[in-house]
Amino acid sequence: MPTASAPRYDRGLMWFRRDLRATDNAALYHALKACRHIWCVFVFDTDILDKLPRADRRVEFIHASLEDLDVQLSSLGAQAGIAGVHLHVRHGPAVHEVAQLAQTLGVQAVFANHDDEPDALARDARTLGALAHHGTMFHTYKDHVIFERQEVLTQQARPFSVFTPYKQAWLRTLDDFQLKGYPTRRYAASLAPAPLAGSRPTLQALGFGATNLTQLRILPGSDGAATLLEDFLQRIDHYGTARDFPAIKGPSYLGVHLRFGTVSIRLLARTAYALHAQGNNGASVWLSELIWRDFYHQILANHPHVVTRSFKPAYDAIKWDHGKHADALFAAWCEGRTGYPLVDAAMAQLNQTGYMHNRLRMVVASFLCKDLGLDWRRGEHYFAEKLNDFDLAANNGGWQWASSSGCDAQPYFRIFNPVSQSERFDPEGRFIRRYVPALAGLTHPAIHAPWAAKPMELASAGIELGKTYPLPVVDHAIARQHTLTRYAVVKQAA
Ligand SMILES: Cc1cc2nc3c(=O)[nH]c(=O)nc-3n(C[C@H](O)[C@H](O)[C@H](O)COP(=O)(O)OP(=O)(O)OC[C@H]3O[C@@H](n4cnc5c(N)ncnc54)[C@H](O)[C@@H]3O)c2cc1C
């Protein structure tokens, strides 16, 4: 990292990845400070895009957020008297595109923010090599979390694997510097007008079709994040109680913005911390969730084996169900046809909107591994494909928590009952009615377990089980016993 005594670069390139904002951006700040002329680029990386379905809300979200980022950069430049500042947008393998643009622009250094996912680290290692080949430096910075990698350690200097002591150490380590924003405007005069002709590729040119992102009113870019934050701050006092009920507008819905960096984690943590210090309980609970996010990021950074294996090795001995019947159960889970209304409503929410409420993520994840007997990685991959806010660290952490294989996970013998979860967290069945209209006519005691309803009641609600709504694909009580047997290998290994 260049210091005050290091030579200033004449030309540099800022490479945006999961940090799509011009304000409070660590790498952009350092780039502007260290260079006389800075250009900015985003690459639609074909190494990533080629694996995605052709209609993907995340790609559309990024595409729209880049328009916003381009406007932000132009106005940041204009405020410093520099006209014609624009974001370069490339489409191709990122390593090649960045190295080529760096050469064309004749930059001495490329700047980016850390991304600790194993594939991203491998990409960055290749980028470092490609740039070094032409004598170009590659500088990267922490931006995406408050504390990363090994910044918060136990007294034995080891990474934490239990959340509560991690959170205490996180709070003890926190200081004003960690929460302070990076004032990019201070060095905005280093922004350079875009010298190269070329417009941003359309979604179609990238090979993608439009999704229902606009109909869902998911607002991209920093403006979208600011609107959500403003709305959430009116409700944050009640977050601690409201957050568990999917029919209520309890959480912030900022996940997708945190994922793509259209909002700064420092801004959110600073806001939450200030309210927490004033004794606001909702803000304290929300701050804890932001700390969970850091927790799982450091787990992934320090234990990359979790991407393919259990955090706790003993859990790799578990034998999951395979074969035709298992595949049919998996399809029923994916498509919301399990016969358990809350599970089906949750999967419908995911399939229709790309969002799933946190309580429901826990319920459906537990259902997949502990009721259906399926490998948690199958569910993890399905979430990775569908979630707008998909984040490898948090998703893997959530799945390993639910399957009990993770660090600080729920014990394996704790098995969510999908009916009592439904009665408790969607007592009137409002959420179920919204996403499973076939059940809308049922009264609320019956809506949680339609198979137990009286035939008269089903008939008057227009429901024919097995036809208009599925019968349960498993019996929870029997599945629970199978799971305890299945997980016995873990007890033997302990
Ligand atoms: C099986 C499973 C899979 C999950 N997959 C993801 C995922 O891919 N991406 C993701 O961001 N979160 C994931 N989570 C965590 C959590 O469900 C979502 O972060 C949350 O529902 C997003 O909605 P929100 O932005 O309204 O959250 P809020 O309740 O408003 O929380 C604010 C932010 O805190 C962070 N956060 C909240 N809870 C957690 C948590 N348990 N772990 C880590 N970070 C958290 C998120 O960044 C979230 O946006 C998963 C949880 C489970 C149980």
Side-chain angles (χ1 to χ4, degrees):
M1 167 177 145
T3 61
S5 57
R8 263 176 75 96
Y9 301 111
D10 186 53
R11 294 165 163 242
L13 178 64
M14 166 68 198
W15 177 17
F16 288 93
R17 292 107 66 97
R18 51 192 299 168
D19 52 349
L20 305 181
R21 64 184 189 285
T23 49
D24 187 10
N25 182 317
L28 180 62
Y29 170 83
H30 286 290
L32 294 171
K33 196 174 168 197
C35 304
R36 235 167 251 128
H37 306 287
I38 277 293
W39 289 276
C40 299
V41 66
F42 178 87
V43 183
F44 279 104
D45 188 351
T46 44
D47 290 342
I48 299 172
L49 297 188
D50 286 353
K51 295 174 203 143
L52 299 178
R54 294 298 92 187
D56 192 300
R57 291 185 197 94
R58 280 93 45 111
V59 178
E60 196 174 342
F61 182 90
I62 294 171
H63 191 265
S65 295
L66 294 182
E67 279 183 33
D68 178 63
L69 178 59
D70 185 52
V71 172
Q72 285 181 50
L73 290 168
S74 296
S75 75
L76 197 62
Q79 284 163 30
I82 314 289
V85 173
H86 283 292
L87 178 71
H88 293 280
V89 178
R90 295 269 181 133
H91 181 211
V95 179
H96 169 78
E97 294 296 327
V98 168
Q100 197 192 50
L101 185 61
Q103 242 198 310
T104 310
L105 293 169
V107 302
Q108 288 105 44
V110 173
F111 297 77
N113 286 310
H114 289 166
D115 183 340
D116 285 342
E117 292 188 4
D119 286 351
L121 288 169
R123 174 200 60 199
D124 286 356
R126 292 200 308 277
T127 306
L128 180 81
L131 291 172
H133 192 65
H134 294 103
T136 310
M137 304 293 288
F138 186 33
H139 301 296
T140 60
Y141 303 85
K142 174 181 75 171
D143 180 77
H144 197 61
V145 287
I146 299 295
F147 292 113
E148 64 174 4
R149 300 178 180 177
Q150 305 214 338
E151 287 191 308
V152 176
L153 293 173
T154 65
Q155 285 184 341
Q156 291 73 39
R158 294 216 185 90
F160 281 95
S161 55
V162 180
F163 177 69
T164 303
Y166 173 80
K167 177 181 162 183
Q168 285 156 356
W170 189 101
L171 286 167
R172 272 197 310 276
T173 316
L174 193 69
D175 58 24
D176 287 350
F177 175 76
Q178 305 296 342
L179 294 179
K180 222 170 101 187
Y182 285 91
T184 46
R185 186 179 293 189
R186 190 179 296 165
Y187 299 102
S190 303
L191 282 167
L196 305 171
S199 52
R200 277 188 309 281
T202 61
L203 207 52
Q204 288 69 29
L206 295 169
F208 286 84
T211 67
N212 63 350
L213 195 76
T214 315
Q215 291 93 300
L216 292 169
R217 282 178 277 145
I218 297 175
L219 302 175
S222 295
D223 283 352
T227 305
L228 283 182
L229 180 58
E230 199 183 318
D231 182 59
F232 177 60
L233 290 177
Q234 316 289 318
R235 305 181 270 116
I236 195 169
D237 300 5
H238 310 293
Y239 176 77
T241 42
R243 64 190 283 259
D244 261 324
F245 298 89
I248 299 177
K249 201 174 165 194
S252 68
Y253 306 103
L254 277 163
V256 63
H257 290 280
L258 276 163
R259 169 62 182 83
F260 295 110
T262 38
V263 70
S264 150
I265 181 62
R266 288 173 292 279
L267 168 67
L268 300 189
R270 193 165 67 235
T271 308
Y273 189 79
L275 290 168
H276 155 78
Q278 290 164 22
N280 182 317
N281 178 263
S284 303
V285 179
W286 198 58
L287 180 63
S288 264
E289 297 308 316
L290 299 180
I291 303 174
W292 268 106
R293 180 174 174 273
D294 271 20
F295 177 69
Y296 282 140
H297 275 267
Q298 62 88 33
I299 290 287
L300 177 63
N302 291 305
H303 306 278
H305 76 272
V306 296
V307 175
T308 49
R309 285 177 284 129
S310 300
F311 177 86
K312 293 186 278 203
Y315 283 71
D316 283 330
I318 292 172
K319 298 264 181 291
W320 303 105
D321 286 349
H322 290 287
K324 269 195 182 155
H325 183 59
D327 291 347
L329 290 178
F330 182 60
W333 180 84
C334 294
E335 293 161 21
R337 295 187 280 102
T338 67
Y340 283 87
L342 190 66
V343 172
D344 294 343
M347 296 307 291
Q349 182 184 37
L350 176 65
N351 291 326
Q352 289 168 31
T353 71
Y355 180 80
M356 191 192 289
H357 188 276
N358 177 59
R359 166 62 46 187
L360 303 180
R361 294 187 203 203
M362 296 193 283
V363 169
V364 304
S366 173
F367 190 81
L368 181 100
C369 26
K370 293 181 177 170
D371 279 83
L372 302 183
L374 302 178
D375 191 329
W376 55 270
R377 280 159 284 229
R378 293 183 84 166
E380 185 198 12
H381 290 154
Y382 191 72
F383 269 31
E385 196 182 298
K386 296 282 174 183
L387 279 176
N388 301 334
D389 63 20
F390 164 61
D391 178 83
L392 179 55
N395 195 41
N396 182 272
W399 275 96
Q400 296 228 28
W401 180 87
S403 72
S404 304
S405 61
C407 55
D408 206 4
Q410 70 165 346
Y412 74 85
F413 46 81
R414 203 165 154 236
I415 299 174
F416 277 166
N417 179 323
V419 176
S420 41
Q421 288 287 312
S422 185
E423 289 164 345
R424 193 162 158 210
F425 296 111
D426 189 26
E428 291 162 12
R430 277 170 52 206
F431 183 82
I432 294 173
R433 280 191 195 92
R434 196 181 305 158
Y435 282 100
V436 188
L439 297 178
L442 274 185
T443 56
H444 53 258
I447 201 165
H448 306 291
W451 64 89
K454 295 202 172 76
M456 281 283 287
E457 193 168 0
L458 290 171
S460 66
I463 297 165
E464 206 177 330
L465 287 180
K467 286 208 170 142
T468 59
Y469 184 71
L471 280 158
V473 289
V474 286
D475 177 315
H476 174 70
I478 298 170
R480 193 174 174 281
Q481 285 312 318
H482 284 164
T483 293
L484 293 174
T485 311
R486 187 188 306 279
Y487 274 75
V489 285
V490 175
K491 206 161 56 175
Q492 284 151 19

